[in-house]
Structures are given as C-alpha cells and as structure tokens.
C-alpha cells in the first residue's frame, strides 16, 4: 500500500525537513505541527500533487514561503501559522481553486494581502 497520511504532530521533533518529503507522492494529508522544525519548508513539498491538507503550524520554519504552491491544485487546507516565515505573502496561493482554509497568522510576512487572494472562490477561512 501507499502512505496517504503522515501525522508527526507534537512529537518534539527538531531539525529541518528533508527535500525527500516530495517523494511521498501519494500523500493526501501531511501534518508536521507543534514541533521545533527549522529552516525553510522544502519546495519539494509542492511535488505532492494530491495533497489536500498541509499543516506545518507551530514550528520555527523560516525564510519566504516556498514558490510553486500553485502546483498543489487539490489543496483544501493550508495551516502555516506560528512560524518565522517572512517576505511577501505568496501570490501562487491565489491559484489554488479548492483552498477553503488558509492560516498564515503569527509569522513575519510584510506588505498587504494580495488582491489576487480574492480569486480564492472556495475560501471560507483566512487568518
């Protein structure tokens, strides 16, 4: 069988996430919340094309949010709150037509919410 869900939440894990995370091609749910992960969130996470739920909240991820998130067309929930992400809010998010829940609070993003986020027709929660 294939791994379709990986929940490593609240396990007191540290270090960075390997770019090999992108090789878990059949994941639908990836939860890395409530740990002490650091470094950037690897762009390879965008290779998991069927991903519907991504929760990386309550960690210490930093740098800008990865580009290419528009590849995750199945994504419905993106929780990335309480990290150290910085830079502008990613425009690529505005292309995720199925996204219902987006939480970027508790980071160090700068600038305004991009007007393109109004294209998120399925969005019911934004923080």
């Amino acid at each position: 069988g294939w791994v379709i869900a990986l929940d490593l939440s609240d396990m007191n894990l540290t270090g960075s996430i390997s770019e090999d995370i992108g090789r878990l091609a059949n994941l639908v749910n990836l939860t890395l919340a409530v740990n002490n992960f650091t470094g950037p969130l690897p762009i390879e996470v965008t290779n998991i094309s069927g991903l519907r739920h991504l929760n990386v909240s309550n960690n210490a991820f930093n740098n800008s949010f990865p580009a290419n998130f528009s590849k995750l067309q199945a994504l419905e929930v993106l929780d990335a709150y309480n990290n150290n992400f910085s830079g502008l809010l990613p425009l690529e998010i505005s292309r995720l037509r199925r996204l219902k829940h987006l939480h970027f609070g508790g980071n160090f993003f700068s600038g305004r919410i991009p007007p393109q986020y109004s294209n998120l027709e399925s969005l019911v929660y934004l923080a």
Side-chain angles (χ1 to χ4, degrees):
W2 295 320
V3 175
I4 60 167
L6 181 60
D7 184 351
L8 299 177
S9 60
D10 204 8
M11 297 183 125
N12 205 26
L13 300 172
T14 61
S16 60
I17 301 296
S18 169
E19 52 275 350
D20 288 335
I21 195 78
R23 297 179 67 193
L24 295 171
N26 296 297
L27 277 183
V28 173
N29 183 333
L30 176 58
T31 303
L32 305 172
V34 193
N35 284 292
N36 288 301
F37 289 123
T38 57
L41 183 63
I43 196 167
E44 287 80 5
V45 77
T46 64
N47 293 336
I48 310 171
S49 61
L51 198 61
R52 288 195 308 235
H53 186 164
L54 176 61
N55 187 342
V56 297
S57 62
N58 292 302
N59 280 289
F61 288 113
N62 58 28
N63 292 346
S64 57
F65 203 76
N68 288 344
F69 250 74
S70 58
K71 289 169 57 176
L72 296 178
Q73 285 299 307
L75 198 64
E76 296 175 7
V77 175
L78 175 54
D79 277 320
Y81 59 91
N82 293 345
N83 277 286
N84 295 317
F85 291 117
S86 59
L88 298 174
L89 288 165
L91 286 178
E92 296 84 9
I93 298 294
S94 66
R95 297 190 193 111
L96 299 177
R97 298 287 182 229
R98 294 185 179 147
L99 193 65
K100 298 175 186 170
H101 176 107
L102 175 60
H103 195 166
F104 272 146
N107 283 288
F108 297 96
F109 290 112
S110 57
R112 298 175 181 250
I113 296 174
Q116 292 89 334
Y117 279 31
S118 66
N119 297 334
L120 294 167
E121 297 168 1
S122 299
L123 196 67
V124 294
Y125 180 87
L126 174 64

